[in-house]
Amino acid sequence: MLLAMALTLWSSIFLIIKVGYCYVNLSRKKGTVASQSSTHEGAFLASRSIDGNKGQTYRECSHTALGHSIAWFQVDLGGEYSLESVKIYYRNDANWCPYRFRQFYLDVSNGSAGSTTTLTSQRKRCYKDNTTALATPPSVIDISCKETARYVIVETTYNAQEAIYLNLSGPVLEICEIEVYGCSVGRYGESCSRCHGCSTCDIISGACPCSDTCVNSACNTSNEYCTEGCITGYWGKMCKSQCSQYCIGNTCEQGNGMCTTGCADFYYGYTCEHQCDPQYSPRSCDRVTGVCSGCNTGYYSQFCNRTCSPYCKSGTCDAHNGHCNGGCKTNWAGDLCENK
């Protein structure tokens, strides 16, 4: 009994260790670049935060300048990655607590923080600190951030002058080291090996996510194919395509999207993608060909898209061939009254 408990404990410890170290620190890979909104004294560069030194004293940290309305710091990974977590080491000298770190937020995005074309709405927020004076956030903070993005952005508008022990102007960031953990998009596991047949997968197990448009959210996790069919309104192997809005009952075949119960009034085609001509009378047509069941007065042809001659004596013509009913007006002749 004791042996079994011991084995279980060691298995749990092994799993924790394995999971804890299964991601790559993307901040330290070749091509990763750190930048910030401004640089204090022109010397406390953003690159200090990705040099591998986890020291938290003044001279070891990056530092934005005073006197601005916003301070931001970002890591550019050079491309999209599947992120897992972000760990931040903030300045924490013996007599200098992380006052300036209050109210910061962590966003990820595919647009740079410094780009005028990147909107806040295009970011995804992983964390927002709500610490108020006199309390301070932890100087080392590990944040879960399971997103896919290129840029990791730390930002603040908090004015540290609110702290009673400081007399400073404007928001400031002092980041000593930042570690961004994750894998390349489409990879997972201890060595970030490839997913099994899907574009994105669980970063630990490699399992493909099942779409919530699968019946009972059930799918083959190796390829994302729904195993119990699609919920109403969707079709395809992964149930990600929507049935035509003109399918009666919003239902269609899972394999090809063909409307299973016919088309709404005025529409035709296998997926009800075509609209019957407005001159059909009544406005209905063959489900497959679109051939009309009858034309409005003054129109003819199988699609009712031709007008009767204006020289038909009665103003009407045969719905199939356009021959004028009742002959032609004076001075006109021919089956379609086309000859003067």
Side-chain angles (χ1 to χ4, degrees), residues 22-289:
C22 70
Y23 312 114
V24 176
N25 180 7
L26 301 171
S27 297
R28 299 286 293 148
K29 72 173 183 63
K30 183 178 180 180
T32 294
V33 177
S35 58
Q36 56 193 12
S37 54
S38 59
T39 302
H40 181 55
E41 297 180 350
F44 294 81
L45 304 176
S47 57
R48 292 186 179 187
S49 64
I50 57 171
D51 60 5
N53 178 7
K54 299 179 184 178
Q56 293 174 265
T57 62
Y58 179 56
R59 295 293 175 185
E60 296 172 293
C61 305
S62 65
H63 196 312
T64 61
L66 301 174
H68 296 272
S69 60
I70 190 170
W72 57 259
F73 169 93
Q74 78 174 7
V75 178
D76 179 1
L77 301 175
E80 283 191 338
Y81 283 84
S82 294
L83 308 182
E84 167 63 23
S85 63
V86 177
K87 192 170 187 177
I88 302 172
Y89 297 79
Y90 202 81
R91 180 183 172 187
N92 191 31
D93 286 318
N95 297 315
W96 191 274
C97 295
Y99 300 109
R100 293 166 168 171
F101 207 25
R102 294 190 188 112
Q103 309 293 315
F104 84 95
Y105 41 95
L106 177 72
D107 291 348
V108 296
S109 174
N110 283 326
S112 169
S115 172
T116 57
T117 60
T118 301
L119 304 176
T120 303
S121 61
Q122 295 173 316
R123 299 181 182 184
K124 293 182 179 179
R125 181 146 299 174
C126 292
Y127 184 79
K128 171 69 170 71
D129 179 73
N130 296 312
T131 305
T132 57
L134 297 171
T136 59
S139 63
V140 178
I141 185 168
D142 200 340
I143 301 169
S144 176
C145 187
K146 294 178 172 61
E147 300 288 352
T148 299
R150 171 175 175 170
Y151 296 94
V152 176
I153 302 167
V154 182
E155 196 168 82
T156 184
T157 56
Y158 178 75
N159 189 343
Q161 193 171 12
E162 295 176 24
I164 64 173
Y165 299 116
L166 301 175
N167 184 21
L168 304 171
S169 176
V172 172
L173 286 173
E174 303 163 292
I175 297 178
C176 305
E177 190 72 12
I178 185 168
E179 298 171 338
V180 180
Y181 289 98
C183 295
S184 298
V185 173
R187 296 174 180 262
Y188 76 99
E190 188 171 4
S191 58
C192 288
S193 53
R194 289 190 180 279
C195 297
H196 297 303
C198 50
S199 57
T200 60
C201 59
D202 184 272
I203 201 168
I204 300 176
S205 68
C208 299
C210 293
S211 170
D212 56 7
T213 55
C214 296
V215 172
N216 297 322
S217 296
C219 74
N220 183 334
T221 56
S222 67
N223 57 21
E224 300 179 88
Y225 292 176
C226 298
T227 54
E228 298 181 20
C230 304
I231 64 173
T232 300
Y234 290 85
W235 67 280
K237 292 180 178 179
M238 294 178 282
C239 299
K240 292 184 178 181
S241 299
Q242 288 186 283
C243 301
S244 167
Q245 61 179 315
Y246 303 115
C247 292
I248 293 177
N250 199 27
T251 59
C252 61
E253 295 283 351
Q254 182 178 352
N256 56 22
M258 180 177 176
C259 298
T260 52
T261 54
C263 301
D265 288 345
F266 315 144
Y267 290 87
Y268 73 97
Y270 288 108
T271 58
C272 303
E273 70 274 25
H274 302 299
Q275 189 172 16
C276 303
D277 191 280
Q279 301 306 328
Y280 291 175
S281 179
R283 195 175 171 191
S284 61
C285 53
D286 184 271
R287 161 67 191 281
V288 176
T289 65

